[in-house]
Amino acid sequence: MRASTTHLYLLRRTPFFTGLSTEQLRYVIGHSREWEAQAATVVAGSADEADDVWILLDGGWQVQYEGRSYPSGHASPGKWYSPRQLDGDCVLLTTEHSYVMKIARADFDAMIEEGFAFKKHLDAGIAYYRSIRAGTAAQ
């Protein structure tokens, strides 16, 4: 992956962040790292020791879990990922040229504590990852 610059005007249009104020968006930019990734790039996986949060800004990715693949776009419930969501062997990789954002768990937790409007996205993602664990998610 190659480091990329996060632009406020683009972040404001990214589904995960549309509920944030300009001040909150600036905080996100200051406490995250954006990456550009080509197709088939491994972004994260269950082997990662850190429990960072990854958000798909643009493009597509998929979770490979227990031999199955679950693709998501930037407006899908699976538009964010954290290793704590899935037990066992799991890999997150891009399916096309994409932009992804990494937020350290401590910074993400601080954003939630401050009331950043992530709840609907987190709830949808938690339900989605629960369905993957149960084997009922669409592939």
Side-chain angles (χ1 to χ4, degrees):
M1 292 192 295
R2 188 177 81 174
S4 184
T5 301
T6 305
H7 297 284
L8 182 79
Y9 74 96
L10 292 174
L11 192 61
R12 182 183 313 280
R13 296 182 186 129
T14 303
F16 194 87
F17 299 105
T18 56
L20 302 187
S21 68
T22 299
E23 180 180 318
Q24 289 172 325
L25 290 169
R26 286 187 178 124
Y27 186 89
V28 169
I29 291 169
H31 293 84
S32 65
R33 189 70 184 125
E34 182 175 328
W35 300 92
E36 177 181 13
Q38 298 305 316
T41 299
V42 173
V43 175
S46 56
D48 293 347
E49 290 184 24
D51 190 26
D52 299 324
V53 176
W54 289 90
I55 297 155
L56 180 63
L57 302 176
D58 192 36
W61 65 16
Q62 68 183 15
V63 170
Q64 292 181 337
Y65 180 69
E66 295 186 351
R68 296 182 177 164
S69 297
Y70 302 91
S72 294
H74 74 277
S76 304
K79 64 182 159 275
W80 67 272
Y81 170 85
S82 174
R84 75 167 56 163
Q85 297 307 313
L86 296 170
D87 300 327
D89 189 28
C90 175
V91 174
L92 177 69
L93 67 141
T94 55
T95 56
E96 59 186 275
H97 179 252
S98 300
Y99 289 88
V100 299
M101 176 179 278
K102 179 181 179 180
I103 304 174
R105 172 55 65 181
D107 290 328
F108 192 75
D109 289 347
M111 292 175 202
I112 291 172
E113 187 74 24
E114 290 296 318
F116 284 38
F118 296 148
K119 184 173 177 17
K120 72 177 182 178
H121 304 294
L122 295 176
D123 288 349
I126 288 167
Y128 174 70
Y129 289 115
R130 201 173 284 142
S131 72
I132 288 175
R133 285 193 312 270
T136 59
Q139 291 184 345

